[in-house]
Amino acid sequence: MLSPLRVTVPLAVALVLGGCAAEPRGLHVEGSALQPSRVAGPVYIADAAGVALQQPTSAQLTEYVVVSQLSWRDWGGPTARATGKLGGPWCSPKCSDDPYDATLTLSGLEQQERMAYYRRATVEPKKPEDLPAAAVNVQFQGIRLSIPDI
């Protein structure tokens, strides 16, 4: 009588070797590549206080970065872009009367159950050389935006 080990080992080796020899040219893939899923529902940005906004005319992105007079060129896709004004406590008192021209870009669109949120913001001043020295300590690139709990 053959032991179960004598039968099982050769069978396992045959299955493994047989699987490797079945496709000598490598993996064969059929069909089209996966496409990114479309966003279902409204798209938002959450301000520094966690308030959900849709295409806002102004938003406080962080304690130090405020954008206003926003005019949106794109919204709802992988990135959103707007032109507007840049200000914050680092540029007082000048910013209250004459904020800096800037472009706001939102990215990192994250789909939730019935809505989506942008996760990152970048603010690019039109003339960075005109910003005051205090702006050196302000983060304008890669600002992480919060997503409210649903």
Side-chain angles (χ1 to χ4, degrees):
M1 174 176 222
L2 290 173
S3 75
L5 185 58
R6 284 187 178 171
V7 174
T8 307
V9 171
L11 181 59
V13 170
L15 288 173
V16 170
L17 292 177
C20 291
E23 188 62 52
R25 295 178 310 270
L27 183 61
H28 177 72
V29 179
E30 289 185 16
S32 61
L34 293 175
Q35 298 295 320
S37 60
R38 289 190 135 322
V39 173
V43 177
Y44 296 96
I45 174 179
D47 67 7
V51 176
L53 306 168
Q54 271 189 304
Q55 288 184 287
T57 55
S58 65
Q60 182 164 354
L61 302 177
T62 70
E63 179 181 356
Y64 302 103
V65 179
V66 177
V67 288
S68 60
Q69 299 177 35
L70 295 171
S71 176
W72 293 97
R73 293 183 289 185
D74 302 302
W75 182 267
T79 58
R81 288 184 184 83
T83 54
K85 301 292 184 174
L86 167 65
W90 49 271
C91 66
S92 290
K94 185 222 183 275
C95 285
S96 13
D97 295 328
D98 190 21
Y100 297 94
D101 291 331
T103 300
L104 170 63
T105 302
L106 304 176
S107 61
L109 189 62
E110 183 176 308
Q111 180 72 43
Q112 299 289 315
E113 188 173 324
R114 292 188 176 111
M115 63 196 75
Y117 280 89
Y118 289 106
R119 293 197 57 93
R120 286 181 301 284
T122 295
V123 181
E124 297 179 45
K126 186 174 183 178
K127 296 183 179 178
E129 65 275 7
D130 289 350
L131 298 180
V136 170
N137 298 321
V138 179
Q139 179 182 355
F140 296 118
Q141 306 287 316
I143 299 169
R144 291 184 181 191
L145 303 171
S146 64
I147 294 182
D149 293 331
I150 298 175

